Amino acid sequence: MNKGFSLIELVVSMAIMLPMLILILNLVPSMNRVHHTAHAITVSSQLGAQVMDAIVWQSRKTAADFNQNFTQLAMPFEAPFSQFKHTIADTNTPEIKTIAITVWKDLDNNGSLDSDEPSFTHKRSIVFYKGL
């Protein structure tokens, strides 16, 4: 009795497994792209939260000067996040400020948010209460 596989059985099994292997290998580049996009959005979210916290803290600290405008255009972060940029939009209304911070990974380093660049936007309203 001969134990083992014949050459025909091996060729047939390889012919069955080869298309599946090709499909799996075709998924690797797209999975890599999804991973990098998700990472960039996560970092953008964390950096935006830090900027928002600093603005909220500063606006509460200087409540007497609630008319301060926080608007900024395409500011880079310090290393190791220098590839990330952010803009700040401030409605600059007297009693309620609405701050929107957009952070993105500037892939082409042109200083503007393009449609293919991963981004995240934080919005928050800050109410100035003078008391009675």
Side-chain angles (χ1 to χ4, degrees):
M1 184 189 263
N2 200 3
K3 293 185 179 185
F5 297 105
S6 70
L7 183 60
I8 293 176
E9 290 171 330
L10 289 174
V11 169
V12 168
S13 66
M14 288 177 63
I16 291 171
M17 291 186 340
L18 188 63
M20 289 187 268
L21 184 62
I22 290 172
L23 287 174
I24 291 171
L25 290 176
N26 282 335
L27 289 176
V28 171
S30 62
M31 290 171 46
N32 192 25
R33 189 171 42 254
V34 167
H35 166 73
H36 285 291
T37 301
H39 180 263
I41 291 172
T42 301
V43 171
S44 297
S45 170
Q46 293 171 347
L47 291 172
Q50 289 176 1
V51 173
M52 183 65 79
D53 288 345
I55 289 174
V56 169
W57 181 82
Q58 186 176 356
S59 66
R60 288 184 180 156
K61 179 181 161 194
T62 60
D65 187 22
F66 197 69
N67 292 325
Q68 180 179 358
N69 191 344
F70 292 102
T71 301
Q72 292 180 353
L73 300 174
M75 297 295 296
F77 288 94
E78 293 182 11
F81 303 110
S82 56
Q83 197 173 11
F84 288 85
K85 308 278 191 301
H86 70 282
T87 59
I88 303 172
D90 184 351
T91 58
N92 205 23
T93 54
E95 284 84 25
I96 299 177
K97 283 182 155 312
T98 301
I99 307 287
I101 300 170
T102 302
V103 181
W104 71 96
K105 187 172 186 178
D106 198 7
L107 299 174
D108 54 4
N109 206 22
N110 66 353
S112 64
L113 175 59
D114 301 322
S115 62
D116 63 335
E117 295 174 336
S119 65
F120 193 86
T121 301
H122 289 267
K123 288 185 180 179
R124 182 180 273 180
S125 294
I126 306 169
V127 178
F128 178 62
Y129 179 69
K130 294 182 182 179
L132 298 173

